Amino acid sequence: MAATLPPPAHVAIIMDGNGRWAQQHLRPRAFGHKAGRLAVDRVVTACAQRGVKTLSLYAFSTENWRRPPHEVKVLMELIEAALREEAAKMQRNDIRLRVLGDRLPLSGSLRDAIDAAETLTAACSRMDVVLAINYSGQWALIETARRLAQAAAAREIVPTTLDEQTFAAYRPMPDLPPVDLLIRSSGEMRLSNFHLWELAYAELWFTDVLWPDFGEAQLDAAFAAYHHRDRRFGALSHS
């Protein structure tokens, strides 16, 4: 029996298609977002079982504030409820929850839920789940540049010696590893401002399956495609 190939260490997912899924079922968009939460539960469990070390989920982008106020309210309420309801389960399963994004515009109750979930799971080490809330890749780059400028002004760094390692160390989440595999559901083929720095050499995998229908079969198909890629990182192939 052939040995099982190791999974990608860092999997990032753009969870797209909740609204279209709801429309197909003749239901309001909120119904699709609620169904999408069940898909999150399935994928977190499956990734942990397969040995993924970091799973990044794009929950709410800075651009999502442009959606109708009612939909934004539903999304925020779902995120807060998920954090409050799932934190204890994540702790039991040795999964650490981390939130990446600008927390200032979020409600006080949501920030409290984030703090509580992060504190409860802080010592967990099986897998990190990084939930991107009010996040964009451009926001992360600007925040990094701001921190670097402050460090240079304080003479903590010398601008002429700035390199990739130093830049990475000043990111909002400095220890976030490079993404190995990006998955996007619903048939769209764009990055949508997600993990722009970390995606530099990621493998990309797209599926027409809408997020509420995403499960183990799609995850395994993405992993299988990943294992057939020749990851050269700019060098020549070894094959």
Side-chain angles (χ1 to χ4, degrees), residues 103-149:
R103 303 185 190 189
L104 189 59
L106 305 180
S107 69
S109 60
L110 178 51
R111 291 199 300 270
D112 288 345
I114 290 170
D115 290 342
E118 288 186 325
T119 300
L120 185 64
T121 63
C124 298
S125 59
R126 181 184 183 187
M127 181 175 76
D128 278 1
V129 172
V130 178
L131 204 59
I133 304 174
N134 195 30
Y135 170 88
S136 78
Q138 290 175 330
W139 166 83
L141 293 175
I142 292 169
E143 182 64 21
T144 303
R146 184 180 296 115
R147 295 179 182 190
L148 286 166

Side-chain angles (χ1 to χ4, degrees), residues 149-185:
Q150 291 170 345
R155 299 191 176 183
E156 296 170 0
I157 61 171
V158 178
T160 56
T161 64
L162 179 64
D163 56 16
E164 290 89 345
Q165 290 72 30
T166 304
F167 186 95
Y170 280 83
R171 292 173 299 157
M173 191 174 284
D175 60 336
L176 186 66
V179 173
D180 296 296
L181 173 65
L182 172 76
I183 297 171
R184 180 165 188 155
S185 58

Side-chain angles (χ1 to χ4, degrees), residues 19-237:
R20 275 167 283 172
W21 186 89
Q23 290 173 351
Q24 289 180 2
H25 290 78
L26 305 179
R27 301 294 296 273
R29 290 176 63 85
F31 181 73
H33 294 311
K34 292 175 182 177
R37 178 183 163 181
L38 300 178
V40 170
D41 294 343
R42 289 194 300 269
V43 169
V44 169
T45 298
C47 283
Q49 291 172 341
R50 285 154 178 75
V52 172
K53 295 306 295 179
T54 303
L55 173 64
S56 289
L57 300 174
Y58 208 3
F60 190 90
S61 74
T62 55
E63 292 84 4
N64 286 155
W65 292 108
R66 302 171 187 167
R67 295 188 177 189
H70 173 70
E71 184 173 352
V72 170
K73 182 174 183 291
V74 167
L75 282 166
M76 291 299 179
E77 289 174 348
L78 282 171
I79 292 170
E80 182 175 340
L83 288 168
R84 296 191 184 280
E85 294 168 11
E86 299 297 328
K89 177 182 175 182
M90 295 181 76
Q91 183 194 39
R92 289 195 301 272
N93 289 302
D94 198 24
I95 297 172
R96 179 169 64 157
L97 188 282
R98 309 176 74 187
V99 171
L100 177 61
D102 184 3
R103 303 185 190 189
L104 189 59
L106 305 180
S107 69
S109 60
L110 178 51
R111 291 199 300 270
D112 288 345
I114 290 170
D115 290 342
E118 288 186 325
T119 300
L120 185 64
T121 63
C124 298
S125 59
R126 181 184 183 187
M127 181 175 76
D128 278 1
V129 172
V130 178
L131 204 59
I133 304 174
N134 195 30
Y135 170 88
S136 78
Q138 290 175 330
W139 166 83
L141 293 175
I142 292 169
E143 182 64 21
T144 303
R146 184 180 296 115
R147 295 179 182 190
L148 286 166
Q150 291 170 345
R155 299 191 176 183
E156 296 170 0
I157 61 171
V158 178
T160 56
T161 64
L162 179 64
D163 56 16
E164 290 89 345
Q165 290 72 30
T166 304
F167 186 95
Y170 280 83
R171 292 173 299 157
M173 191 174 284
D175 60 336
L176 186 66
V179 173
D180 296 296
L181 173 65
L182 172 76
I183 297 171
R184 180 165 188 155
S185 58
S186 88
E188 303 292 351
M189 296 185 182
R190 54 180 175 267
L191 302 182
S192 292
N193 211 352
F194 188 38
H195 277 341
L196 299 182
W197 177 267
E198 293 78 14
L199 282 170
Y201 272 101
E203 300 299 325
L204 311 181
W205 190 83
F206 303 99
T207 176
D208 290 334
V209 173
L210 302 177
W211 179 246
D213 290 328
F214 194 100
E216 291 190 43
Q218 290 74 34
L219 188 68
D220 288 338
F223 286 8
Y226 170 83
H227 287 304
H228 282 92
R229 305 284 177 89
D230 183 10
R231 305 193 75 202
R232 299 189 299 275
F233 300 98
L236 297 178
S237 174

